Amino acid sequence: MNKLMMTAFFCAMAFALSTCSCSQKKENAESASPQKAETTVAVQTVSPIDLDDYIEFGGTVQAVDSVAVLPTVAGKIAKILVQEGDRVTQNQIIAQVDASKPGADFTMSPVRASRSGTVTTLPVSIGTYVTTSTTVAEIASIDNLEINVNVSERFVPLVKEEQTCEVSFKAFPNEVFTATVTRLSPILDPATRTMQTTLRLSEGRGIIKAGMFAHVKLVTKHKEQILTVPARAIVTNSGKPYVFIADSTGESATVRRVLVETGISVDGVTEITSGLRAGDAVVVKGQNMISDGQRVNAVAAE
């Protein structure tokens, strides 16, 4: 009986030692194999680009040298010889005014174009009573066009004469036109706190018409070959801006937090004036879920 008990005891001890050894080997194997990173982040390589800072306005296209045509006598409009959009020459008769009075001889007074150009407005009709101060028509050179915009007070220091602008129109979404700042009002409108600014359209290409609404983009600062990151990549800590840089890509990458200095921000892109170098892989997605020195799975940003 004692022999049987001793045999059972030694068998149990051998089994326990074997189980412990296998468990220890498994733990050692697990600790020896690299653990996969639990957090995946997207990275973007920093490279120099050109960047323009700009401000935008809306304005109305007008003819540069529009003139009003006035009759020489008072009376009723008897005939209108032109239509809006017609081209006329200087001294061409565009209308007739019946200046006769009851009991007097019938007389017709011609209304003549005061300059050559295109009839842009014709505010009268047959039978309208006019005086020598009534505008019968407006004539302008539609080849010379300008845009009037109102610049907000905070942007006034950024606008100078001779600056160039990009202009676009809803009617021509794929076309970009050029304009130049030609006049700045010396005063601001006290009601709106804006400065009236006039831009000369360089070329209307025969398709831009007076009265169109223009979207104006005025470049205020141009920077060449600067380092930038998406604005969302910047993390603020204690009022200071930081970015995370990955040392490689893949599941074994490690990130470090870097203090940076920023410059201008345009369209979701921010200039980095110090703290980064060309070629750095900046974390642009997932940066709010990681910490300095953390292992991550770094993948290229789409």
Side-chain angles (χ1 to χ4, degrees):
M1 185 70 177
N2 290 338
K3 289 182 178 180
L4 183 61
M5 292 179 63
M6 289 293 291
T7 302
F9 173 76
F10 282 116
C11 287
M13 288 293 293
F15 176 76
L17 289 173
S18 175
T19 302
C20 180
S21 176
C22 290
S23 176
Q24 184 66 34
K25 288 180 180 179
K26 182 178 180 181
E27 289 179 2
N28 291 338
E30 289 180 350
S31 61
S33 61
Q35 295 181 351
K36 292 185 177 180
E38 296 181 356
T39 303
T40 299
V41 298
V43 297
Q44 179 177 306
T45 302
V46 177
S47 58
I49 65 169
D50 294 346
L51 189 64
D52 289 331
D53 196 7
Y54 63 90
I55 50 181
E56 296 177 292
F57 310 100
T60 302
V61 179
Q62 295 180 345
V64 173
D65 47 2
S66 178
V67 296
V69 179
L70 308 176
T72 57
V73 296
K76 292 183 178 180
I77 297 293
K79 290 183 179 180
I80 298 176
L81 304 175
V82 296
Q83 297 179 348
E84 288 185 5
D86 286 351
R87 287 186 175 270
V88 297
T89 57
Q90 189 172 6
N91 292 323
Q92 178 181 334
I93 298 175
I94 64 173
Q96 295 277 10
V97 175
D98 180 3
S100 65
K101 296 180 181 179
D105 293 335
F106 178 84
T107 59
M108 277 288 195
S109 176
V111 180
R112 298 180 181 274
S114 53
R115 58 155 297 164
S116 297
T118 302
V119 177
T120 56
T121 59
L122 199 62
V124 297
S125 57
I126 294 176
T128 301
Y129 183 83
V130 296
T131 67
T132 54
S133 61
T134 303
T135 298
V136 174
E138 287 191 0
I139 300 174
S141 172
I142 60 174
D143 297 326
N144 296 320
L145 300 173
E146 62 185 17
I147 304 168
N148 288 327
V149 299
N150 292 317
V151 177
S152 177
E153 183 176 6
R154 65 193 180 102
F155 294 133
V156 167
L158 302 177
V159 182
K160 310 291 182 184
E161 289 187 2
E162 303 303 324
Q163 278 180 304
T164 57
C165 318
E166 291 184 357
V167 184
S168 58
F169 301 88
K170 287 186 177 180
F172 309 103
N174 298 322
E175 298 278 349
V176 177
F177 300 81
T178 304
T180 305
V181 178
T182 56
R183 284 196 310 275
L184 303 175
S185 174
I187 61 173
L188 269 63
D189 184 333
T192 61
R193 301 298 178 189
T194 58
M195 176 180 67
Q196 186 172 13
T197 304
T198 302
L199 318 174
R200 177 69 64 87
L201 196 62
S202 301
E203 184 183 4
R205 303 175 195 171
I207 59 176
I208 304 304
K209 301 182 183 299
M212 280 186 169
F213 179 81
H215 180 265
V216 180
K217 178 180 176 180
L218 188 151
V219 175
T220 58
K221 190 178 295 184
H222 175 72
K223 294 196 172 185
E224 296 184 352
Q225 297 299 288
I226 61 173
L227 299 182
T228 64
V229 298
R232 67 180 186 276
I234 299 174
V235 179
T236 303
N237 189 348
S238 300
K240 296 180 179 180
Y242 294 85
V243 298
F244 284 94
I245 299 176
D247 61 359
S248 62
T249 57
E251 297 180 352
S252 60
T254 302
V255 295
R256 59 187 176 92
R257 194 179 70 173
V258 177
L259 177 66
V260 296
E261 292 184 3
T262 60
I264 63 174
S265 293
V266 181
D267 296 336
V269 175
T270 298
E271 175 191 12
I272 302 299
T273 58
S274 69
L276 290 182
R277 295 178 300 177
D280 286 341
V282 174
V283 178
V284 297
K285 188 175 182 180
Q287 64 275 10
N288 294 316
M289 300 183 295
I290 56 179
S291 57
D292 189 29
Q294 182 177 336
R295 176 178 291 176
V296 299
N297 176 26
V299 299
E302 297 179 355

